Amino acid sequence: MATGARRVAPRFAWTVAAAAVLPLLPTLRAAFIYDDTTIIRGNTLLRGWDALARVWSAPYWPATGADVSGLYRPLHVAILALLWNVGGGAAWPFHLYALALHAVVAVAVWWLLRRGVGAFAAGLGALWFATHPLHVEAVASVANTSELLVTGCTIALTWLLVRRGTDDAARRGVASWPIAIACAVLTAAAVLSKESGLLALPVAALTAWGWDASSAGRPAHTLHGFGRLWLAGGAALVVALLARSVVLGAPVARVSIAAPGLDVLSPAERVAAMLSLWPRLGRMIVWPGLLAPYYGPTILPSQRGALAAVAVLAALALVAIAMVLARRGDRRPLVALGWIALTYLPASNLLTATGQLIADRTLFGATVGAALALAWAVDRVPRRFRVALVIVAALAIVRDALASARYAVVWSSHRTLWEQLVEVSPNEPRGYQLLGIDAGQRGDTARALPLLARAFAMEPSARRTRFEYGQLLYATGRYPQAAHVLAPLIVNEDVRREPQFVAMYLDAVGRAGGPDAVIAEGRPLLRSESAATAALYVGAAHEQRGRLSAADSVYVAGLRAAPRDSLLLAARASVERRLAPR
């Protein structure tokens, strides 16, 4: 029997890997999608083999830096740099890597399940995990594979912690130094892949403590005598956090990164709002419906207090049941709940506001916990209920595989992805904004204008929507509308530092209202970060009015800000020749 089991195990591992990969094969033909455009395609940090060293001294987001995101993921970025230089910047090696990593993690989950339940229950849980539609975002957008790295490191840590029976030092009641060092490496790898890796070692310890108990009577694993391991893991955490603080200049982001909708809530209101989303999160994990790459403030329910109270009571009831079962010797439900709660906690917005309300990718670890719960239920339910549960689980696997395949096609282009967002959240402006930007980039202004107009009408405070809409109005010759839409942006000092924007705005003002309008709008800018650009337009407006002395004074003011500006120098020389006596 043991020999037969050893023969079946490799074959079933390939089955799990295939189930994880086949529905997501459409992602192989995709270009760089969503965050990949910034993290990979537009990230000059990845260029050249010396990038493998450079990434360790740089924040995660290349365009915004430490002060905005407060993220540091050098191991993840180093892997992306390796793929970029091996593949010459092509997208397919990245997608191939993401698929392979997903397959490896799915097989690792199957190994983990098999330690605590029978082969059939473990196989069912592994297939459910492998085909889950929530995983599409974490695989199709390669920037999100950090979720897979953290989960893989956590399961590898669990494997180290349960090696007591095969390690001589462990048999004597202590962990060997090689195992302790390996634990330190995996702990650091998890933290340096994504911030949620901070909890990889606690989750692994909980799993090693509780998941090896079974109804067959195997004794629960203990973690006594592992002082070296905890010391090494703790030291790795300290080193990783120190590196983060050195690179970012602070242990956390120095400005708020709260997602839209959270930025206007007090801490108490934010917690209540997030707790009210737990029923939705539960549905996404157990029986996912339409998924999207972005969930905006429109998903927040109106009856938040009542839903939050129900969610908390349900969570407390589940924890209480798991605690009772643990006291009776079965710790597995507690482990499953621990995976769900602890892996989601960093992104839950309960401790602090993060950059998203909810996201498919942040539930990747939670689906491991759900797979553990499913496998435990199949292993333990009475026989008369087991058939029904297995049928439901089998139907869910087939349904999820088909849903994942469809969703993977959606993730193959920006246009299809933004169309999905509009379909899922028709009252959310971001979908119309992104669809409009995509249409504009493809030159389809007839489609882009109404989409951006709708997004702007729904959320006029969104700076990017205002900029993209105003820019498109300008490009299509709608100058009065462009000037009106772009005007509020000019008060921002970062915007005023962009010469191209200032030039576009003043040109739109001039085409709409003539030289006097340019003078009125441009005069305050002569004392700002955009003085040189403003001087060109205000001086030209004075020239149009025949005010050569005024134009000369404006050009002089501009040259004080940019003494070597060739356009200003030429404009002033022209005015001086006309002012010179004949």
Side-chain angles (χ1 to χ4, degrees):
M1 292 293 290
T3 301
R6 284 195 295 269
R7 290 175 180 172
V8 171
R11 290 200 295 269
F12 194 78
W14 283 108
T15 301
V16 172
V21 168
L22 290 177
L24 305 186
L25 284 178
T27 62
L28 280 175
R29 68 170 185 261
F32 293 112
I33 296 295
Y34 211 18
D35 288 345
D36 293 355
T37 57
T38 302
I39 298 299
I40 301 174
R41 188 186 68 190
N43 191 356
T44 56
L45 184 67
L46 305 184
R47 313 295 192 265
W49 288 105
D50 57 340
L52 296 178
R54 288 199 312 269
V55 299
W56 297 89
S57 59
Y60 179 60
W61 281 100
T64 55
D67 285 346
V68 174
S69 67
L71 303 180
Y72 178 61
R73 303 171 183 178
L75 178 60
H76 174 49
V77 180
I79 294 172
L80 299 181
L82 176 65
L83 292 167
W84 178 276
N85 290 288
V86 167
W92 70 265
F94 290 90
H95 292 299
L96 185 62
Y97 156 74
L99 285 173
L101 185 58
H102 187 228
V104 169
V105 172
V107 172
V109 170
W110 170 69
W111 168 85
L112 180 62
L113 292 168
R114 187 64 187 91
R115 290 200 70 259
V117 297
F120 179 78
L124 198 68
L127 290 174
W128 181 87
F129 173 84
T131 57
H132 205 294
L134 283 177
H135 300 174
V136 175
E137 181 180 2
V139 176
S141 179
V142 185
N144 294 327
T145 53
S146 55
E147 302 285 354
L148 282 68
L149 288 173
V150 171
T151 300
C153 288
T154 304
I155 297 175
L157 279 167
T158 303
W159 177 77
L160 281 177
L161 292 173
V162 299
R163 286 195 63 197
R164 175 185 292 272
T166 59
D167 183 82
D168 290 337
R171 291 192 192 100
R172 298 194 304 270
V174 295
S176 68
W177 278 115
I179 287 183
I181 292 171
C183 176
V185 170
L186 286 170
T187 300
V191 178
L192 297 173
S193 296
K194 193 180 179 186
E195 290 68 24
S196 58
L198 279 167
L199 295 177
L201 185 56
V203 172
L206 174 68
T207 309
W209 167 77
W211 188 249
D212 64 348
S214 78
S215 58
R218 287 202 306 266
H221 188 74
T222 61
L223 299 176
H224 298 302
F226 274 44
R228 292 176 181 176
L229 189 147
W230 307 132
L231 178 63
L237 279 177
V238 170
V239 170
L241 292 175
L242 283 175
R244 171 188 172 86
S245 296
V246 169
V247 172
L248 300 183
V252 295
R254 287 180 282 188
V255 297
S256 173
I257 60 171
L262 294 179
D263 51 354
V264 295
L265 300 179
S266 68
E269 290 171 332
R270 184 189 74 240
V271 170
M274 296 313 301
L275 291 175
S276 71
L277 289 175
W278 282 10
R280 182 189 185 109
L281 294 172
R283 290 195 301 271
M284 290 172 67
I285 294 172
V286 175
W287 197 265
L290 283 175
L291 301 175
Y294 173 80
Y295 301 92
T298 56
I299 69 168
L300 292 173
S302 56
Q303 302 296 326
R304 298 176 195 174
L307 283 172
V310 171
V312 170
L313 290 174
L316 291 174
L318 288 173
V319 171
I321 293 171
M323 292 291 290
V324 169
L325 291 173
R327 288 177 64 86
R328 294 178 178 176
D330 192 349
R331 302 169 177 177
R332 291 172 296 172
L334 196 60
V335 173
L337 288 177
W339 266 90
I340 295 171
L342 294 178
T343 59
Y344 180 61
L345 181 62
S348 67
N349 293 296
L350 295 178
L351 302 179
T352 186
T354 69
Q356 70 281 317
L357 281 165
I358 59 173
D360 298 352
R361 62 185 179 275
T362 61
L363 295 171
F364 190 88
T367 59
V368 177
L372 295 172
L374 172 62
W376 171 82
V378 171
D379 200 55
R380 286 300 305 272
V381 295
R383 185 173 302 226
R384 61 181 179 276
F385 299 122
R386 187 173 303 165
V387 173
L389 179 58
V390 169
I391 291 173
V392 171
L395 290 174
I397 291 168
V398 173
R399 173 190 177 275
D400 286 354
L402 294 174
S404 293
R406 289 192 297 267
Y407 200 28
V409 173
V410 169
W411 272 89
S412 63
S413 77
H414 280 134
R415 181 178 58 81
T416 53
L417 191 58
W418 309 150
E419 287 174 346
Q420 173 86 356
L421 178 53
V422 169
E423 180 183 357
V424 174
S425 305
N427 297 320
E428 177 62 50
R430 183 164 180 146
Y432 302 102
Q433 175 209 60
L434 294 170
L435 262 180
I437 293 171
D438 179 70
Q441 290 173 343
R442 291 185 286 105
D444 189 356
T445 57
R447 186 164 187 256
L449 272 171
L451 288 166
L452 287 172
R454 183 166 185 174
F456 179 68
M458 295 172 74
E459 191 180 23
S461 61
R463 285 177 54 187
R464 188 181 180 191
T465 301
R466 183 179 288 274
F467 171 77
E468 296 287 351
Y469 183 41
Q471 181 177 248
L472 191 58
L473 289 170
Y474 174 83
T476 54
R478 295 166 171 83
Y479 301 115
Q481 292 172 269
H484 175 73
V485 170
L486 294 173
L489 294 176
I490 207 71
V491 302
N492 185 279
E493 62 180 36
D494 290 332
V495 172
R496 292 196 300 268
R497 289 192 179 95
E498 297 293 333
Q500 291 180 332
F501 175 84
V502 175
M504 177 178 65
Y505 171 64
L506 291 178
D507 188 56
V509 168
R511 291 175 184 270
D516 288 340
V518 174
I519 294 169
E521 290 295 317
R523 187 182 293 118
L525 299 178
L526 295 173
R527 298 181 297 275
S528 73
E529 299 84 354
S530 56
T533 304
L536 282 171
Y537 283 86
V538 175
H542 279 301
E543 287 190 61
Q544 285 182 270
R545 286 302 191 189
R547 305 165 187 158
L548 297 183
S549 296
D552 185 59
S553 297
V554 169
Y555 293 142
V556 169
L559 286 167
R560 281 197 293 268
R564 297 183 180 180
D565 189 299
S566 58
L567 293 177
L568 279 174
L569 289 169
R572 191 187 181 209
S574 174
V575 168
E576 286 181 326
R577 285 195 298 271
R578 294 161 66 187
L579 285 172
R582 299 181 180 179

